[in-house]
Amino acid sequence: MSGAQEFERVLDGSDKKVASFEHQDVSLLKRVQHFLHSTPAAVPLIVLVLAIVIFGIAIGGRFFSAYTLTLILQQIAIVGILGAAQTLVILTAGIDLSIGVIMVISSVVMGNVAVTYGLPTPIAILAGMVAGGLCGLLNGFLVANMKLPPFIVTLGTWNIVMATNFIYSANETIRDTDVDEQAPLLHFFAISFRLGGAVLTLGVIAMVLLVIVLWYVLNHTAWGRHVYAVGDDPEAAKLAGIQTKKVLLAVYGVSGLIAGLAAWVSIGRNGSVSPSSAVTDFNLQAITATVIGGISLFGGRGSILGTLFGAMIVGVVSMGLNMLGADPQWKVLLTGVLIIGAVAIDQWIRKVSA
């Protein structure tokens, strides 16, 4: 073609600018809100550091000793492991009120199979883990297949498992000395070792390794992304091809297995196997660590690292108040304040996506 056509000449004279968005200055508060939304574990980490600094200033150098800080880790090992199990469930917008009694009945099964029945300890441990996993699968089946609310389901199984625990064990405690003589492997997680001035137990190592493994699974595997998706919007997840029933069943089953691990750790921590420990509110402690750790009760948001930080916050507050000689009720009061504060912050952060 020798010359430009008519429409080409018109285009040559048109405006060449492309569409662009006007730049608006973002306030510091908005930037903080976006940062916390993208980094869920930041809030509990900040609170943990502040708690350590405040109690360190109030108590003095002995609070900062390696022994004190590692003693806190030893005290939260069981709650930290149960909190990890609770985190998986809450990420799917559910809740497990039975997680504590599942741990107790798993420990009772381990103790009875090894000491009362005289079977090899590895079989006893496996039996306890299976018991925990089956309890979790029962919860998962009722929630995923029967479409029952998780709160109601786990409230019911909490009563069922607790009653079964007392009936099966006849409320008889297996003594520390009997466990040592016949099944010393049950005390495996009580083994301690020194690392400089710190004293760590294998129970603490198990808690940390569990959190690391679950962090990797939740952030770097398809299954982990499915867990978040089911908790965020189950209908959208189903339309995206995710088998939501299988995800929920797996989550509750894994949660039960983790409770079985917590049972083994608890035997090492406590020495004896006591069915009456079912009355200890492990459920509430695990939920507390999870909520303070920034896991959203609405599902689909949070980091399991935050749960570990949440458990450590409760441990630091408890240890700090004990060292100050404060009334134990101050711990209860501060825990309540932290729970309400954590939920309020979660609501504020979620407004970013609105």
Side-chain angles (χ1 to χ4, degrees), residues 9 24 108 207-208 251:
R9 287 195 295 270
Q24 295 181 348
V108 168
M207 174 187 68
V208 174
V251 162

Side-chain angles (χ1 to χ4, degrees), residues 166-211:
F166 288 121
I167 294 170
Y168 168 68
S169 65
N171 203 17
E172 294 180 355
T173 298
I174 300 175
R175 296 179 302 172
D176 187 2
T177 53
D178 293 333
V179 175
D180 261 338
E181 289 175 3
Q182 300 182 51
L185 185 60
L186 290 179
H187 284 164
F188 175 73
F189 287 109
I191 297 173
S192 61
F193 60 94
R194 284 191 170 273
L195 190 64
V199 179
L200 296 171
T201 64
L202 293 183
V204 173
I205 302 301
M207 174 187 68
V208 174
L209 289 178
L210 174 66
V211 170

Side-chain angles (χ1 to χ4, degrees), residues 1-246:
M1 296 177 65
S2 57
Q5 297 185 29
E6 184 65 25
F7 75 90
E8 293 176 321
R9 287 195 295 270
V10 173
L11 289 175
D12 286 338
S14 63
D15 193 353
K16 300 295 193 297
K17 293 180 181 178
V18 297
S20 62
F21 294 99
E22 291 183 3
H23 176 72
Q24 295 181 348
D25 292 331
V26 180
S27 66
L28 178 60
L29 188 62
K30 284 290 184 183
R31 291 179 183 177
V32 171
Q33 191 179 23
H34 279 275
F35 170 74
L36 296 180
H37 186 270
S38 60
T39 316
V43 174
L45 178 59
I46 293 169
V47 174
L48 175 62
V49 172
L50 287 175
I52 292 174
V53 170
I54 291 170
F55 282 111
I57 293 172
I59 296 170
R62 61 195 179 103
F63 185 80
F64 287 112
S65 68
Y67 176 78
T68 299
L69 296 178
T70 52
L71 181 60
I72 293 172
L73 289 175
Q74 293 178 37
Q75 292 177 343
I76 68 164
I78 298 172
V79 173
I81 293 172
L82 288 177
Q86 191 70 252
T87 297
L88 294 176
V89 176
I90 292 180
L91 284 175
T92 63
I95 197 165
D96 190 350
L97 301 178
S98 65
I99 195 73
V101 291
I102 291 176
M103 179 196 76
V104 174
I105 198 171
S106 296
S107 67
V108 168
V109 169
M110 290 180 188
N112 276 279
V113 171
V115 178
T116 306
Y117 308 151
L119 296 177
T121 308
I123 294 178
I125 294 169
L126 180 62
M129 299 287 285
V130 169
L134 289 175
C135 291
L137 287 174
L138 173 61
N139 286 333
F141 173 78
L142 294 173
V143 171
N145 294 80
M146 303 298 292
K147 304 293 185 182
L148 300 178
F151 183 89
I152 302 300
V153 166
T154 56
L155 180 62
T157 54
W158 172 68
N159 286 280
I160 293 170
V161 174
M162 178 178 283
T164 304
N165 164 59
F166 288 121
I167 294 170
Y168 168 68
S169 65
N171 203 17
E172 294 180 355
T173 298
I174 300 175
R175 296 179 302 172
D176 187 2
T177 53
D178 293 333
V179 175
D180 261 338
E181 289 175 3
Q182 300 182 51
L185 185 60
L186 290 179
H187 284 164
F188 175 73
F189 287 109
I191 297 173
S192 61
F193 60 94
R194 284 191 170 273
L195 190 64
V199 179
L200 296 171
T201 64
L202 293 183
V204 173
I205 302 301
M207 174 187 68
V208 174
L209 289 178
L210 174 66
V211 170
I212 292 173
V213 169
L214 289 178
W215 174 85
Y216 178 83
V217 169
L218 289 171
N219 289 277
H220 297 283
T221 67
W223 185 79
R225 290 190 289 273
H226 292 172
V227 170
Y228 278 99
V230 169
D232 188 49
D233 191 335
E235 293 303 319
K238 190 179 296 184
L239 291 173
I242 296 174
Q243 296 180 314
T244 56
K245 288 184 180 180
K246 288 186 177 180

